[in-house]
Structures are given as C-alpha cells and as structure tokens.
Amino acid sequence: MRTFAIAALVVGALTLSACSKNRLDNEYGAGALGGDFVAGSPSDPKSPAYFQQTIGDRVLFAVDQSSLSAEGIELLTKQAAWLMENTAYTAVIEGHADEQGTREYNLALGARRASAVQNFLIERGVAPNRLQTVSYGKERPLEICSEESCYAKNRRAVTVLAAGGLVS
Amino acid sequence: MTLIRTLTIAFATGLSLLGAPNTSLAEGPLRIEITDGVIEPLPFAIPDFQAEDGGASDYAGLIARVVAADLAGTGLFREIPADAFVSNVTSFASPVAYADWKAINAQALITGAVSTSGDTINVKFRVFDVFSDQPLGEGLQFAGTAASWRRMAHKVADIVYSRITGEGGYFDSRVVFVSESGPKNAKRKRLAIMDYDGANVQYLTDSSALVLAPRFSPTGDKVLYTSYETGFPQVYVLDVATVGRQVLSQQQGTMTFAPRFSPDGRTVVYSLSAGGNTDIYAMDINGSNPRRLTSTPSIETAPSFSPDGSQIVFESDRSGSQQLYVMPAGGGEATRISFGQGRYGTPVWSPRGDLIAFTKQNAGRFHIGVMRTDGSEERLLTASFLDEGPTWSPNGRVIMFARESQGAAGAPALYSVDISGRNLRRVVTEGAASDPAWSPLLK
C-alpha cells in the first residue's frame, strides 16, 4: 500500500501592502458622493464652488443613452466658458450608469457618457490636455433607491475640477 | 476504464488504492444521470469516520460531515440521518452489514477512517452500493496536513460523486469573489478567496481601491481583476500564494477591464475604452504585445474563450442592444448567437465546451441562462430583480452567480444553481459578495 502526501495545500499568509499610489482625493470619485466640499463660495464666479453649484457640475442621460440633452448642452456650454476663463483648473469627467445593467456593459456605457461631455467641452474650445475621463459604471450611485427617480440621477457625467496637472 | 483514468488525472498525487476488487461499476445500478430530471435524490448514509488514534478523533466526525454536506448540497443526494441507523460501523475493516443499510433504504454507504501522524492526517474510505451487496470501486486513502482536512473531505466527496454520477467532481475547488461592505453609494470592495462552499475565506486585497470581477488562471494560481488603484480602472494580475500584484495595462487616457485568461494561460483577453469606445483586445500574460480584436464604434466587452482556445464569445451592442457574439480567438468576423427577447451580457463558455452561460435582462427582470454555443436551446435558470455574472463549476454542471436585492438597503449575495435550473442555493459568505469566479479543480 502506497500513500502520497498532498503537496502545497497551505496558502501563504496574507501580506497586504498599503496602496501608496496617486489617487483621487476622494476615493469614491468626487462626483459619486454628491455633497463634497469644494473650495470657495458659490457666489464667487472664479471659485470651484461656483462651477459645481451655480453652473452645475453634472449632466443626466436617458436609459442606455449617451447623447446630450438640450439641458445638458446648455449646462456644458457654461462649463466650457468657465473652463476657458479659469485656465488654472483641469478636470476629470466621471461617467456613471444606473444599476439596471451588467457590470462590464455599464463601465463601457459610463465611458461613452464621459466621452460625450469631454468631446463637447473640447469642441467649445477647452484644451484636450486639461480633460480626462473615467467611468465608474454602476459602482458609485448617488441615489440608492431602486426606482426611476433615483436611476435618473445616477445616469450622469460629472465634471470634477482639479488644480493644475495637465494630462500631457 | 473511466474510473482508473479519473484517478490518474485528478488524483495523481495523494491517493492510493486500498486493493478492493474492481467490480463492474459503470453498468451498476447505483447511478445518477445529472441531465435527467432528478426528482428523488439518492439516499445515502455516512457514519462518522472511525478515529484510529487519539489525534484523529477531532477530524473523523468533521470530515464525514463535510462529505455529507457536499453530496447533499448538489440536490442529487439525500443524507439519511444517523439516528435512523439500524447498526453502526465499528471498524473500517469489518464486513458491511448490507441488510442493516437496506433496511433504512440507504442506496449508497460511505465508510471511512482517519489516523494521524504528527501534523499529517490519513483518510481512507470506501463506497458501497448497498442494494448490489458490493463495494462501488476500490477503497482509497490519502494524506495531507491537518490544516487541509476540509480539502481531504472534498476529495472524498468528489470521488463519491464521480462514481455515482459518472461526471467529474467540483467540491475540491475555490471561488474568488468581491467582498463588499458599506452603503450602496459608498461601497468598499476587496478581493477574497474561499473554498467553493464558503469556508476558509482569505482576503487578497484591502478595500483602499475599488476592485471588480476577478478571474482565475487555468491553474488557479493567478487572478486577473480590475482595480481603480490609480484612480482609473486597469487590469491587474495577482499571485494567489504571495498576494503580489502587478498592473498589466496602463496607457494614459484609456481604461481596461473585463479580463479573462486563455485556456493555456498565456493570453489575457480584455476590454479597452478609449475616447468613449470600448473594444476587445488581447495581450500576453506579462502585459506585452497588446492587439486589437474588434474595431467597431459599438461596445464590445465581457470576452470569454472557448475551452479549446479557438473562439471567443463576447457581448456587443452593435445591433442596437446588448447581444452575444462568437468570433475567432484572433479576431475577425463575429456571428451573433442570441436572438431572444431582451438584452444578453456576460457570456461564459462552459469548461465542457457545450454551453454558454449568460445574464439576460428582459422586462425589468434579470436572469441567468444557458444556451448551446450556436445560440440554440436557450434556457433561463433563474429570475430576480438582479441576477448577474455566471461562473461555471469545474465540471460544467453548476453555475454560481451574484443576486442583488432591491432598494436602498439592497446588497449582493452569491448563489448557485445547477444547469437544469434546480437546486438554487445561497452560498453563505460573511458579508455582501459579488462577481464570483470558480477555480478549476485543485491539484
């Protein structure tokens, strides 16, 4: 009778190293949580708070769509004008989807939405190297109910300002 | 002889025969055809294994319990509780009192014994076809570390399952998944790995960065996944044993996600988004030699290889809605295979090559389904508010997926279902869990 030992059954102990790479200040993406603190006063036209709250930092999309609405175009026109005036800022445009959809598809859909906003801002004169895009798919909803009232707010692209740091 | 081949491939190390005569098993009466509509599970008895020394007493009962849970968990078997036994097994070597097991209608009897020597435990077991008055295959024994006692139990269960069903087993396997915590609008996610039944959870990353959709390498020692570690989603590879990780694709202005290994483990297929357009690419496992496999303005994502490596199934909305397509592994003309109502995504080719599992979205509901690789014989196995992301058991008979509950407190959990749509079960995890990926059988 022969017996053999089962080899390599023991999994090595976990040794997690902390992540020290550069990341967005807010790990959820600044547009994901909604009420982030932004510098300045909403009444100061030069401040990021004015951009975020007075102009509006986000546009919304129809179900499974990435085309800009008339309201979206109006808002992004103002965003573009602000960015042209305030050239010290760069922006990351975050694309988001609602929870109705599979994970990978929603990542791709969020990328389309972010890109639609980026393209519009570039068309209106914003230098391409001031704009980056990222998609969160359905990972970072703003509203958490499972109804259209929430879904409508989650299907969004948010222009998140950063100081300096050109893309390339 | 099927039995011998199974032993050679799956258990080349660690097993030895106990020398019982090899009876005509394949034609024996004790047989479950998994694809049949099994309505009445097969009753079996598994007395606690015999402890042959003091150190073994800790494991003798536990191992039998895990074997019983594996078998009963398939829905194909039903355990007869010990309090119904007419007689008990007092020694592994004693002749089996078939009449006593027939009396309680135990069609299969599993007996075993455990002994220890230092940190090593030895497990031996036999399976009996009670109503044929004979053993079902040879007795087997193997050894492992005490810490691996659950794996040894799963191996016993795999062999019993194989002998009775004629299929490969799947119990000695693991699942990598995303462990979730926190509210729906501020979820923290980290990679975790566990035994297929939810035991032995280990965390592979911390939750400092969002992580998505881990996938095992064909040998189970590496995991591909998507991480937002840099602030942008990129494909990483992680070594399961060392937990070391490495980014595979980092190109300014692009996002990469939805990675999967080729069956030979040398190629990674994935999605890359640039300028809002998502296509499928392949690269070598070290991240070099990226090549584009699709070139359309539509979304192409969620690629999965056929087990022979020759084809890739993926999803695309090139027709106007999310549908499934098959193309050659090197790219080229794709053939649409999904034509039913609704949207189809996350296709995964079965390890047997015969079926493709998918997520279907229709009329406000989500389903896990399977179809043949040409798209015929579509069958939906589940329905809920949100079912998503199927992964195949190593033998291609069971599918695990994530089911998310509705509303503000909604959270995902892992479930399994067999390919006939029966035996829907929750896989118990400590907290919320999503994106499961089943490993191959462990070696």
Side-chain angles (χ1 to χ4, degrees):
Chain A
M1 186 183 299
R2 297 169 301 151
T3 58
F4 303 89
I6 296 177
L9 284 176
V10 182
V11 174
L14 295 186
T15 50
L16 296 176
S17 58
C19 158
S20 60
K21 299 209 173 180
N22 295 328
R23 301 197 348 224
L24 300 179
D25 288 339
N26 180 336
E27 69 178 277
Y28 300 113
L33 291 181
D36 302 290
F37 174 79
V38 175
S41 157
S43 58
D44 171 7
K46 295 253 175 236
S47 76
Y50 181 90
F51 181 89
Q52 186 197 47
Q53 291 156 46
T54 309
I55 293 175
D57 63 354
R58 64 200 58 200
V59 294
L60 304 181
F61 295 87
V63 176
D64 199 20
Q65 296 299 313
S66 55
S67 52
L68 299 171
S69 66
E71 297 89 332
I73 287 170
E74 188 182 335
L75 187 145
L76 292 175
T77 302
K78 292 177 190 165
Q79 281 192 3
W82 191 92
L83 286 165
M84 298 290 283
E85 292 261 316
N86 298 278
T87 52
Y89 292 95
T90 59
V92 176
I93 301 154
E94 300 176 354
H96 298 267
D98 67 31
E99 70 187 359
Q100 310 171 93
T102 47
R103 197 173 314 288
E104 297 86 349
Y105 183 84
N106 277 339
L107 280 174
L109 179 59
R112 269 185 183 162
R113 288 172 175 163
S115 182
V117 168
Q118 181 187 39
N119 290 340
F120 184 91
L121 295 176
I122 290 171
E123 275 171 28
R124 295 302 166 108
V126 181
N129 67 358
R130 294 175 62 201
L131 302 173
Q132 282 182 286
T133 59
V134 62
S135 174
Y136 284 92
K138 62 175 174 176
E139 306 304 318
R140 293 295 180 229
L142 194 59
E143 303 289 335
I144 58 177
C145 75
S146 296
E147 289 152 31
E148 174 54 25
S149 60
C150 288
Y151 294 162
K153 292 176 184 166
N154 291 336
R155 294 189 298 264
R156 66 200 191 277
V158 185
T159 308
V160 181
L161 295 180
L166 296 182
V167 175
S168 57
Chain B
M1 177 68 207
T2 309
L3 177 65
I4 299 302
R5 192 164 65 240
T6 303
L7 289 171
T8 310
I9 294 168
F11 307 104
T13 60
L15 276 174
S16 65
L17 303 184
L18 291 177
N22 185 6
T23 49
S24 57
L25 311 168
E27 291 75 39
L30 191 58
R31 184 78 167 193
I32 296 174
E33 292 296 332
I34 295 178
T35 48
D36 288 352
V38 174
I39 293 165
E40 193 58 38
L42 185 143
F44 70 97
I46 179 165
D48 282 355
F49 285 9
Q50 301 293 303
E52 298 193 325
D53 56 57
S57 57
D58 288 347
Y59 303 103
L62 291 174
I63 287 173
R65 290 303 86 218
V66 170
V67 174
D70 283 346
L71 294 173
T74 65
L76 303 172
F77 301 88
R78 174 174 63 81
E79 187 188 11
I80 297 172
D83 58 14
F85 294 176
V86 173
S87 67
N88 219 324
V89 174
T90 52
S91 149
F92 184 66
S94 309
V96 166
Y98 289 108
D100 289 349
W101 301 103
K102 286 177 192 166
I104 59 170
N105 194 33
Q107 299 205 29
L109 170 69
I110 302 149
T111 66
V114 181
S115 60
T116 60
S117 111
D119 187 44
T120 300
I121 57 177
N122 294 279
V123 177
K124 51 189 175 183
F125 72 100
R126 295 183 195 275
V127 190
F128 299 93
D129 178 349
V130 171
F131 285 82
S132 299
D133 292 337
Q134 61 181 352
L136 184 64
E138 300 91 339
L140 292 171
Q141 84 170 18
F142 49 95
T145 62
S148 69
W149 69 269
R150 291 190 70 97
R151 279 203 61 191
M152 289 194 275
H154 293 316
K155 282 189 176 296
V156 172
D158 276 328
I159 293 165
V160 175
Y161 175 94
S162 285
R163 288 187 182 175
I164 297 177
T165 66
E167 307 272 347
Y170 62 88
F171 308 120
D172 186 26
S173 62
R174 296 203 281 182
V175 171
V176 63
F177 64 102
V178 172
S179 170
E180 302 194 0
S181 59
K184 215 168 156 180
N185 59 355
K187 267 184 188 168
R188 292 177 174 276
K189 295 191 170 191
R190 53 183 171 160
L191 294 189
I193 191 169
M194 64 185 183
D195 296 352
Y196 97 99
D197 59 358
N200 292 326
V201 176
Q202 294 180 309
Y203 295 98
L204 302 176
T205 67
D206 61 23
S207 55
S208 62
L210 188 60
V211 289
L212 305 174
R215 311 292 181 201
F216 274 112
S217 63
T219 48
D221 56 347
K222 290 189 171 63
V223 169
L224 289 167
Y225 65 107
T226 301
S227 172
Y228 281 69
E229 208 168 287
T230 62
F232 298 86
Q234 304 292 352
V235 171
Y236 288 71
V237 64
L238 178 142
D239 184 285
V240 174
T242 67
V243 208
R245 66 190 190 284
Q246 178 196 339
V247 67
L248 284 187
S249 170
Q250 202 164 13
Q251 192 186 329
Q252 184 72 50
T254 67
M255 312 189 325
T256 53
F257 56 99
R260 264 186 212 277
F261 282 98
S262 62
D264 66 7
R266 293 202 291 241
T267 301
V268 176
V269 66
Y270 61 104
S271 270
L272 182 145
S273 290
N277 181 31
T278 301
D279 273 303
I280 294 172
Y281 287 68
M283 61 184 162
D284 297 346
I285 179 57
N286 62 6
S288 67
N289 191 22
R291 46 216 186 259
R292 189 171 184 168
L293 302 185
T294 64
S295 292
T296 61
S298 47
I299 289 173
E300 276 73 37
T301 187
S304 167
F305 277 96
S306 60
D308 68 1
S310 69
Q311 291 173 287
I312 292 171
V313 62
F314 63 99
E315 61 174 75
S316 167
D317 70 348
R318 61 184 65 175
S319 72
S321 74
Q322 229 178 325
Q323 301 292 339
L324 306 184
Y325 294 78
V326 172
M327 67 177 173
E333 193 178 343
T335 305
R336 179 171 165 179
I337 61 166
S338 63
F339 292 96
Q341 291 286 314
R343 296 162 61 177
Y344 295 78
T346 74
V348 194
W349 217 299
S350 153
R352 303 163 69 101
D354 56 342
L355 296 171
I356 288 167
F358 54 83
T359 304
K360 176 166 174 164
Q361 197 181 344
N362 188 35
R365 302 275 283 172
F366 280 76
H367 309 269
I368 301 298
V370 293
M371 57 175 61
R372 303 203 71 81
T373 60
D374 62 1
S376 64
E377 297 179 41
E378 174 180 329
R379 286 183 291 123
L380 299 183
L381 308 179
T382 74
S384 90
F385 167 71
L386 208 178
D387 285 349
E388 178 176 8
T391 181
W392 289 95
S393 64
N395 70 351
R397 289 304 187 187
V398 180
I399 289 170
M400 197 178 290
F401 61 97
R403 168 168 290 182
E404 190 152 350
S405 51
Q406 194 168 358
L414 305 186
Y415 283 79
S416 65
V417 66
D418 73 31
I419 55 166
S420 65
R422 286 186 308 269
N423 199 38
L424 177 70
R425 278 170 187 262
R426 170 106 184 248
V427 182
V428 176
T429 53
E430 195 175 75
S434 60
D435 291 356
W438 213 318
S439 78
L441 269 185
L442 302 179
K443 296 293 184 227

